[in-house]
Amino acid sequence: MRNMTASWMKALKHLTLVICLSVCGQTMAQGSLLSLIRKVEAKIDSMTVKGVDRRYIDAPEKPWQLIVRGNVSQTVVSMRTQGDIAGVEYTARPYLKTTPSQYVGLWAGYRGYGLGYTVNVGGDKGAYLTFGATGGSYGINVRIHSFDNSTPSFNLNSDLIPEEYKDTWHKVQLTDPIHVRTVIADGYYLFNSKKFSYAAAYDQSVIQKRSAGSLMAGLMYNYTHINYSSDTNGDLIYMMNGLGRVKLWQGSAGVGYAYNWVPASGLLVNVMAMPMLTFVNKLKAYGYATNVEQLMKDPFFWDPDVSNEAWDEWLYRNLHITPMGDQTFNSGLSLGFDARLSLTYNMGRCFFNAYGQFNNIRYHHDSTNGYLNDWFINTSFGVRL
């Protein structure tokens, strides 16, 4: 059993490093794979401590990390539009707020270069894929989140809705769920990598021994895709003035400050604050025509004697949408803010970490506007191998 465990861990190490090599663009055209792996291991080891003050930053003797992660997250997608139906004005505000979702998963890497995958165990139906690559003075992190939601909160203010039904109108059950995918990537560069380590606070590939801070520059990229373009969602699309699908791109840059506080041996508290200037803010809107107005002229649509079940069946059998094309819009510069907090405790070869992050993305198109809020809190327990 002991030999099997050792063989499995060795295979995991080699597999993870092969993935890291492909990401870094290394070639395996010459020499054996094992020889190349050893050369890259030595190169990464030297890069980890190159130019650092060992009184402040130290590299653990064991370079491999196996981390069990738990994640609590929540995504809010809010859209707002105005229009009129048969001359009656309305304001619609579809509001997708997932319940706080719980994820569990694994992360494996070599001195901060690795991959992680977490799966949903409660809340929205989705998954996270994460990638991290950290060096002495730089770091890159990518987080991909996909989920579906079939029960959005839909607030409609209009004289079309009788007062006795306005309190229950927001309870919507969609036959075809709204699909949401977000990609958040951020990178940083440290100006005091000799004494300060961002990696010590966020992936524990090194250890911060004394308190230190650093000015840092950062880049952030956000991509969001919201899609509810199906025939059965034709009524929702009609309420949204024909908008059935949205893609958002946002690129930001900033300069901020981060500080690692070491109040006791093994304990590390990190605080980072960075104002961000958004210089890319692009929205691609996909328009659809519906036959809702034609259906509203059918006497069956307004017949009070028809049961809800029969009405729903009739509507979704006859409701259709037709793609009408897309348009891309660019917004101007805007200011934002990125703040993070991390707590780490090292116990020999083992360590515990918890940190949180919040992101906000806004968009605007004609009479439709909205935002996406995405936050998460990660907790992890890891061992160095």
Side-chain angles (χ1 to χ4, degrees):
M1 181 67 179
R2 183 175 181 178
N3 291 336
M4 290 177 62
T5 302
S7 300
W8 181 85
M9 292 308 305
K10 185 176 181 180
L12 176 62
K13 293 178 180 180
H14 288 172
L15 175 61
T16 306
L17 193 53
V18 169
I19 296 173
C20 296
L21 288 173
S22 64
V23 173
C24 297
Q26 297 290 341
T27 176
M28 292 179 284
Q30 297 178 351
S32 67
L33 175 61
L34 182 59
S35 175
L36 180 58
I37 288 176
R38 288 174 176 171
K39 288 180 181 179
V40 175
E41 285 178 347
K43 180 65 175 179
I44 294 177
D45 288 345
S46 64
M47 290 172 57
T48 301
V49 296
K50 183 179 180 180
V52 305
D53 188 333
R54 299 298 287 270
R55 297 174 301 169
Y56 286 80
I57 302 172
D58 198 11
E61 179 183 353
K62 303 293 185 180
W64 288 91
Q65 301 157 277
L66 183 62
I67 302 174
V68 178
R69 284 183 170 175
N71 175 289
V72 178
S73 64
Q74 187 176 45
T75 300
V76 176
V77 179
S78 178
M79 297 174 281
R80 182 179 184 275
T81 189
Q82 300 180 65
D84 68 86
I85 299 176
V88 180
E89 294 186 353
Y90 70 89
T91 299
R93 190 188 296 271
Y95 187 75
L96 287 70
K97 183 177 182 180
T98 65
T99 58
S101 302
Q102 298 82 44
Y103 291 78
V104 295
L106 291 174
W107 191 94
Y110 186 89
R111 296 210 185 278
Y113 295 80
L115 290 169
Y117 187 73
T118 58
V119 295
N120 173 265
V121 293
D124 67 56
K125 298 178 181 179
Y128 280 97
L129 176 65
T130 58
F131 164 72
T134 59
S137 58
Y138 68 90
I140 299 173
N141 293 282
V142 180
R143 186 167 62 99
I144 303 172
H145 183 203
S146 299
F147 72 93
D148 295 338
N149 188 289
S150 299
T151 55
S153 176
F154 191 89
N155 300 318
L156 179 66
N157 299 322
S158 172
D159 291 337
L160 288 172
I161 308 301
E163 288 294 332
E164 61 268 25
Y165 296 117
K166 286 187 176 181
D167 291 337
T168 59
W169 181 257
H170 66 279
K171 299 178 181 179
V172 177
Q173 178 68 49
L174 299 179
T175 303
D176 190 19
I178 298 178
H179 309 285
V180 180
R181 173 184 289 261
T182 63
V183 179
I184 299 174
D186 62 82
Y188 66 86
Y189 179 82
L190 302 175
F191 293 92
N192 184 25
S193 58
K194 182 177 181 180
K195 295 182 178 180
F196 171 86
S197 173
Y198 191 80
Y202 291 94
D203 68 23
Q204 295 73 54
S205 56
V206 297
I207 297 174
Q208 184 85 40
K209 299 167 64 177
R210 296 186 180 183
S211 300
S214 176
L215 188 70
M216 62 188 300
L219 293 171
M220 180 174 288
Y221 169 79
N222 294 292
Y223 167 77
T224 302
H225 185 191
I226 305 169
N227 187 6
Y228 49 94
S229 57
S230 67
D231 285 333
T232 56
N233 290 334
D235 48 354
L236 175 59
I237 293 172
Y238 180 73
M239 291 293 186
M240 296 303 297
N241 282 340
L243 185 66
R245 184 179 171 198
V246 176
K247 289 184 178 181
L248 305 164
W249 294 267
Q250 190 176 64
S252 306
V255 177
Y257 190 80
Y259 189 77
N260 279 345
W261 178 41
V262 185
S265 178
L267 182 61
L268 172 63
V269 180
N270 171 271
V271 177
M272 188 275 285
M274 181 181 296
M276 304 289 289
L277 176 66
T278 299
F279 55 90
V280 174
N281 201 348
K282 185 170 69 172
L283 177 147
K284 189 172 185 179
Y286 295 79
Y288 296 83
T290 74
N291 62 338
V292 171
E293 292 188 0
Q294 288 80 2
L295 294 178
M296 291 175 63
K297 297 176 182 178
D298 192 312
F300 190 90
F301 188 93
W302 304 101
D303 191 342
D305 296 326
V306 175
S307 66
N308 290 334
E309 292 78 8
W311 191 88
D312 288 340
E313 182 181 352
W314 173 86
L315 178 65
Y316 293 116
R317 187 175 63 247
N318 294 279
L319 192 58
H320 301 290
I321 66 172
T322 304
M324 298 297 291
D326 58 76
Q327 285 184 288
T328 301
F329 305 87
N330 292 285
S331 302
L333 298 176
S334 63
L335 292 174
F337 196 78
D338 185 17
R340 303 181 189 185
L341 177 66
S342 170
L343 173 67
T344 303
Y345 184 64
N346 290 286
M347 305 165 287
R349 292 174 57 182
C350 300
F351 55 87
F352 169 82
N353 172 259
Y355 76 93
Q357 183 175 332
F358 174 83
N359 294 281
N360 174 266
I361 303 170
R362 294 183 175 273
Y363 69 89
H364 179 84
H365 166 51
D366 292 340
S367 60
T368 300
N369 58 73
Y371 63 84
L372 180 141
N373 287 339
D374 186 85
W375 65 263
F376 69 89
I377 298 175
N378 273 338
T379 58
S380 60
F381 177 80
V383 59
R384 299 182 177 96
L385 306 169

